[in-house]
Amino acid sequence: NAGVTQTPKFQVLKTGQSMTLQCAQDMNHNSMYWYRQDPGMGLRLIYYSASEGTTDKGEVPNGYNVSRLNKREFSLRLESAAPSQTSVYFCASTGGTTYNEQFFGPGTRLTVL
Amino acid sequence: RKEVEQDPGPFNVPEGATVAFNCTYSNSASQSFFWYRQDCRKEPKLLMSVYSSGNEDGRFTAQLNRASQYISLLIRDSKLSDSATYLCVVNRPTGGFKTIFGAGTRLFVKA
């Protein structure tokens, strides 16, 4: 049982390049999330998927797109990376009720030059 | 004003000390409450849920005051390994529900 896995762990992009961050969970969770974490800002929600087939914007969705490929996988795409997107990105999943904890992946450290 | 606010920190305490973290939330509809721990350059992990009656897990005690919209975490007999950032987390209903993370309080425990 791997929990939540993310790839890649590290990435350096040039401004304007695109990339997709991958996330998968093996806990049969309904809900999945993408967050970014910047120093002093805490975790900010980019997009979430309450269940397979649905996605919704979070607090900071601009510059990102997501795909809930199936119940296990939720990917985050940067179409044209900008230096402001330099951050640590965490994927998380939860069983889907308000009392469930969120389980986080190990994070992707992205630098955009 | 942020929906979930925490003590700014950092807290620097000696081993064996008792330290308390406070957190306030602004939305009275908030329904469930948690403390997460995040080690440097790692992902957040659940430390404990917070129940209305208060709850304890070893050296850790969490309290909830719904009237004052206030959550606390008390750590007794601090260990070096307690050094981390502690995140206050609140869920509130929105049709489904929304999870709001506090910015975190950094704790350094010194030998």
Side-chain angles (χ1 to χ4, degrees), chain B residues 43-76:
Chain B
E43 72 272 23
K45 292 184 179 179
L46 180 69
L47 177 65
M48 56 196 305
S49 301
V50 186
Y51 302 120
S52 296
S53 54
N55 49 300
E56 188 174 303
D57 182 1
R59 297 182 293 108
F60 299 85
T61 300
Q63 297 279 352
L64 168 64
N65 184 322
R66 285 188 185 271
S68 301
Q69 297 181 193
Y70 171 94
I71 307 156
S72 65
L73 176 68
L74 185 75
I75 305 176
R76 291 180 300 277

Short mmCIF file of all heavy atoms in Angstrom, two decimals, chain B residues 43-76:
data_model
loop_
_atom_site.label_atom_id
_atom_site.label_comp_id
_atom_site.label_asym_id
_atom_site.label_seq_id
_atom_site.Cartn_x
_atom_site.Cartn_y
_atom_site.Cartn_z
N GLU B 43 5.94 16.17 3.36
CA GLU B 43 4.51 16.42 3.25
C GLU B 43 3.86 16.52 4.63
O GLU B 43 4.34 15.93 5.60
CB GLU B 43 3.83 15.30 2.43
CG GLU B 43 3.72 13.96 3.13
CD GLU B 43 4.94 13.09 2.94
OE1 GLU B 43 6.04 13.62 2.65
OE2 GLU B 43 4.78 11.86 3.07
N PRO B 44 2.73 17.24 4.73
CA PRO B 44 1.99 17.28 5.99
C PRO B 44 1.42 15.89 6.31
O PRO B 44 1.02 15.16 5.40
CB PRO B 44 0.85 18.27 5.72
CG PRO B 44 1.28 19.04 4.52
CD PRO B 44 2.12 18.11 3.71
N LYS B 45 1.37 15.58 7.59
CA LYS B 45 0.76 14.32 8.04
C LYS B 45 -0.13 14.61 9.24
O LYS B 45 0.19 15.47 10.08
CB LYS B 45 1.84 13.30 8.43
CG LYS B 45 2.66 12.82 7.25
CD LYS B 45 3.65 11.75 7.66
CE LYS B 45 4.44 11.28 6.45
NZ LYS B 45 5.44 10.26 6.80
N LEU B 46 -1.24 13.88 9.32
CA LEU B 46 -2.17 14.09 10.42
C LEU B 46 -1.51 13.77 11.75
O LEU B 46 -0.93 12.70 11.94
CB LEU B 46 -3.40 13.20 10.24
CG LEU B 46 -4.45 13.33 11.33
CD1 LEU B 46 -5.13 14.70 11.25
CD2 LEU B 46 -5.48 12.21 11.25
N LEU B 47 -1.60 14.72 12.68
CA LEU B 47 -1.13 14.50 14.04
C LEU B 47 -2.31 13.99 14.88
O LEU B 47 -2.22 12.95 15.52
CB LEU B 47 -0.58 15.79 14.63
CG LEU B 47 -0.11 15.74 16.08
CD1 LEU B 47 1.09 14.82 16.23
CD2 LEU B 47 0.21 17.14 16.59
N MET B 48 -3.39 14.72 14.85
CA MET B 48 -4.59 14.28 15.57
C MET B 48 -5.81 15.09 15.13
O MET B 48 -5.69 16.24 14.72
CB MET B 48 -4.41 14.39 17.08
CG MET B 48 -4.04 15.75 17.60
SD MET B 48 -3.39 15.71 19.30
CE MET B 48 -4.67 14.88 20.22
N SER B 49 -6.95 14.44 15.19
CA SER B 49 -8.21 15.15 15.02
C SER B 49 -8.53 15.85 16.34
O SER B 49 -8.00 15.49 17.39
CB SER B 49 -9.33 14.17 14.67
OG SER B 49 -9.02 13.48 13.48
N VAL B 50 -9.40 16.84 16.29
CA VAL B 50 -9.77 17.58 17.48
C VAL B 50 -11.26 17.41 17.71
O VAL B 50 -12.07 17.77 16.84
CB VAL B 50 -9.44 19.08 17.34
CG1 VAL B 50 -9.70 19.80 18.66
CG2 VAL B 50 -8.01 19.29 16.89
N TYR B 51 -11.62 16.87 18.87
CA TYR B 51 -13.02 16.61 19.16
C TYR B 51 -13.55 17.62 20.16
O TYR B 51 -12.80 18.21 20.93
CB TYR B 51 -13.18 15.18 19.70
CG TYR B 51 -12.65 14.14 18.74
CD1 TYR B 51 -11.63 13.27 19.11
CD2 TYR B 51 -13.17 14.04 17.45
CE1 TYR B 51 -11.15 12.31 18.24
CE2 TYR B 51 -12.68 13.10 16.56
CZ TYR B 51 -11.67 12.24 16.96
OH TYR B 51 -11.19 11.30 16.09
N SER B 52 -14.85 17.77 20.15
CA SER B 52 -15.49 18.80 20.99
C SER B 52 -15.17 18.63 22.46
O SER B 52 -15.06 19.61 23.20
CB SER B 52 -17.01 18.77 20.79
OG SER B 52 -17.33 19.12 19.47
N SER B 53 -15.03 17.38 22.88
CA SER B 53 -14.78 17.10 24.29
C SER B 53 -13.31 17.22 24.65
O SER B 53 -12.92 17.03 25.79
CB SER B 53 -15.28 15.71 24.64
OG SER B 53 -14.70 14.76 23.77
N GLY B 54 -12.47 17.51 23.66
CA GLY B 54 -11.03 17.51 23.87
C GLY B 54 -10.50 16.09 23.79
O GLY B 54 -11.22 15.13 24.10
N ASN B 55 -9.28 15.93 23.37
CA ASN B 55 -8.72 14.60 23.26
C ASN B 55 -7.21 14.63 23.45
O ASN B 55 -6.56 15.65 23.24
CB ASN B 55 -9.12 13.92 21.95
CG ASN B 55 -8.91 14.78 20.72
OD1 ASN B 55 -9.49 15.87 20.60
ND2 ASN B 55 -8.07 14.31 19.82
N GLU B 56 -6.71 13.49 23.87
CA GLU B 56 -5.30 13.38 24.24
C GLU B 56 -4.70 12.17 23.53
O GLU B 56 -5.37 11.15 23.35
CB GLU B 56 -5.21 13.20 25.76
CG GLU B 56 -3.83 13.25 26.34
CD GLU B 56 -3.86 13.21 27.87
OE1 GLU B 56 -4.51 14.09 28.47
OE2 GLU B 56 -3.26 12.28 28.43
N ASP B 57 -3.45 12.32 23.10
CA ASP B 57 -2.73 11.21 22.49
C ASP B 57 -1.31 11.28 23.01
O ASP B 57 -0.49 12.04 22.50
CB ASP B 57 -2.77 11.32 20.97
CG ASP B 57 -2.09 10.14 20.28
OD1 ASP B 57 -1.60 9.23 20.99
OD2 ASP B 57 -2.05 10.14 19.04
N GLY B 58 -1.04 10.53 24.07
CA GLY B 58 0.29 10.56 24.67
C GLY B 58 0.60 11.94 25.22
O GLY B 58 -0.12 12.46 26.07
N ARG B 59 1.65 12.56 24.71
CA ARG B 59 2.07 13.87 25.21
C ARG B 59 1.28 15.03 24.57
O ARG B 59 1.53 16.19 24.92
CB ARG B 59 3.57 14.05 24.91
CG ARG B 59 4.46 13.04 25.62
CD ARG B 59 5.94 13.29 25.31
NE ARG B 59 6.28 13.04 23.91
CZ ARG B 59 6.56 13.98 23.02
NH1 ARG B 59 6.54 15.25 23.37
NH2 ARG B 59 6.86 13.65 21.76
N PHE B 60 0.41 14.72 23.67
CA PHE B 60 -0.32 15.74 22.91
C PHE B 60 -1.78 15.82 23.36
O PHE B 60 -2.45 14.79 23.48
CB PHE B 60 -0.27 15.42 21.41
CG PHE B 60 1.12 15.38 20.85
CD1 PHE B 60 1.89 14.22 20.94
CD2 PHE B 60 1.66 16.49 20.24
CE1 PHE B 60 3.18 14.19 20.42
CE2 PHE B 60 2.95 16.47 19.72
CZ PHE B 60 3.70 15.31 19.82
N THR B 61 -2.24 17.06 23.60
CA THR B 61 -3.63 17.29 23.97
C THR B 61 -4.22 18.36 23.08
O THR B 61 -3.61 19.43 22.92
CB THR B 61 -3.75 17.74 25.43
OG1 THR B 61 -3.20 16.73 26.29
CG2 THR B 61 -5.21 17.98 25.82
N ALA B 62 -5.36 18.08 22.49
CA ALA B 62 -6.04 19.05 21.63
C ALA B 62 -7.35 19.48 22.29
O ALA B 62 -8.04 18.65 22.90
CB ALA B 62 -6.31 18.45 20.27
N GLN B 63 -7.66 20.75 22.17
CA GLN B 63 -8.91 21.28 22.73
C GLN B 63 -9.63 22.09 21.66
O GLN B 63 -8.99 22.73 20.83
CB GLN B 63 -8.61 22.20 23.92
CG GLN B 63 -7.95 21.52 25.11
CD GLN B 63 -8.94 20.79 25.98
OE1 GLN B 63 -10.15 20.90 25.80
NE2 GLN B 63 -8.44 20.01 26.93
N LEU B 64 -10.96 22.08 21.74
CA LEU B 64 -11.79 22.85 20.82
C LEU B 64 -12.78 23.67 21.64
O LEU B 64 -13.43 23.13 22.52
CB LEU B 64 -12.55 21.91 19.88
CG LEU B 64 -13.68 22.50 19.04
CD1 LEU B 64 -13.14 23.54 18.06
CD2 LEU B 64 -14.43 21.41 18.31
N ASN B 65 -12.88 24.94 21.35
CA ASN B 65 -13.88 25.81 21.97
C ASN B 65 -14.72 26.41 20.84
O ASN B 65 -14.31 27.37 20.18
CB ASN B 65 -13.20 26.91 22.79
CG ASN B 65 -14.19 27.77 23.54
OD1 ASN B 65 -15.27 28.08 23.03
ND2 ASN B 65 -13.84 28.16 24.74
N ARG B 66 -15.87 25.81 20.60
CA ARG B 66 -16.71 26.26 19.48
C ARG B 66 -17.26 27.66 19.72
O ARG B 66 -17.41 28.44 18.79
CB ARG B 66 -17.86 25.29 19.25
CG ARG B 66 -17.44 23.99 18.57
CD ARG B 66 -18.66 23.16 18.20
NE ARG B 66 -18.32 21.87 17.64
CZ ARG B 66 -18.12 21.64 16.34
NH1 ARG B 66 -18.21 22.63 15.48
NH2 ARG B 66 -17.82 20.43 15.91
N ALA B 67 -17.56 27.98 20.95
CA ALA B 67 -18.14 29.30 21.24
C ALA B 67 -17.16 30.41 20.88
O ALA B 67 -17.54 31.45 20.33
CB ALA B 67 -18.54 29.39 22.71
N SER B 68 -15.88 30.18 21.19
CA SER B 68 -14.85 31.18 20.91
C SER B 68 -14.17 30.94 19.56
O SER B 68 -13.30 31.72 19.17
CB SER B 68 -13.79 31.18 22.02
OG SER B 68 -14.38 31.45 23.26
N GLN B 69 -14.52 29.83 18.90
CA GLN B 69 -13.94 29.47 17.60
C GLN B 69 -12.42 29.41 17.71
O GLN B 69 -11.68 30.09 16.99
CB GLN B 69 -14.44 30.44 16.51
CG GLN B 69 -15.94 30.34 16.34
CD GLN B 69 -16.50 31.26 15.26
OE1 GLN B 69 -17.69 31.44 15.18
NE2 GLN B 69 -15.68 31.83 14.43
N TYR B 70 -12.01 28.56 18.61
CA TYR B 70 -10.60 28.48 19.03
C TYR B 70 -10.21 27.03 19.20
O TYR B 70 -10.96 26.22 19.75
CB TYR B 70 -10.54 29.23 20.36
CG TYR B 70 -9.28 29.15 21.14
CD1 TYR B 70 -8.30 30.13 21.02
CD2 TYR B 70 -9.08 28.12 22.05
CE1 TYR B 70 -7.15 30.07 21.79
CE2 TYR B 70 -7.93 28.05 22.81
CZ TYR B 70 -6.98 29.04 22.68
OH TYR B 70 -5.84 28.99 23.44
N ILE B 71 -9.01 26.69 18.69
CA ILE B 71 -8.46 25.33 18.80
C ILE B 71 -7.07 25.46 19.41
O ILE B 71 -6.36 26.42 19.12
CB ILE B 71 -8.34 24.68 17.42
CG1 ILE B 71 -9.66 24.73 16.66
CG2 ILE B 71 -7.86 23.25 17.52
CD1 ILE B 71 -9.47 24.66 15.16
N SER B 72 -6.70 24.50 20.23
CA SER B 72 -5.36 24.55 20.81
C SER B 72 -4.70 23.18 20.73
O SER B 72 -5.36 22.15 20.62
CB SER B 72 -5.41 25.03 22.26
OG SER B 72 -6.10 24.07 23.06
N LEU B 73 -3.38 23.20 20.79
CA LEU B 73 -2.58 21.97 20.85
C LEU B 73 -1.53 22.17 21.93
O LEU B 73 -0.78 23.15 21.90
CB LEU B 73 -1.90 21.70 19.51
CG LEU B 73 -0.96 20.49 19.48
CD1 LEU B 73 -1.76 19.19 19.64
CD2 LEU B 73 -0.15 20.46 18.19
N LEU B 74 -1.50 21.26 22.87
CA LEU B 74 -0.53 21.31 23.96
C LEU B 74 0.43 20.14 23.81
O LEU B 74 -0.01 19.00 23.65
CB LEU B 74 -1.25 21.23 25.31
CG LEU B 74 -0.39 21.38 26.55
CD1 LEU B 74 -0.01 22.85 26.74
CD2 LEU B 74 -1.13 20.86 27.79
N ILE B 75 1.71 20.41 23.86
CA ILE B 75 2.72 19.37 23.80
C ILE B 75 3.47 19.39 25.13
O ILE B 75 4.07 20.40 25.51
CB ILE B 75 3.72 19.59 22.64
CG1 ILE B 75 2.99 19.71 21.31
CG2 ILE B 75 4.73 18.43 22.59
CD1 ILE B 75 3.89 20.02 20.13
N ARG B 76 3.43 18.28 25.84
CA ARG B 76 4.13 18.17 27.12
C ARG B 76 5.45 17.43 26.92
O ARG B 76 5.58 16.61 26.00
CB ARG B 76 3.28 17.39 28.13
CG ARG B 76 2.04 18.13 28.60
CD ARG B 76 1.25 17.29 29.61
NE ARG B 76 0.83 16.02 29.04
CZ ARG B 76 -0.26 15.88 28.29
NH1 ARG B 76 -1.02 16.92 28.02
NH2 ARG B 76 -0.58 14.70 27.80
#
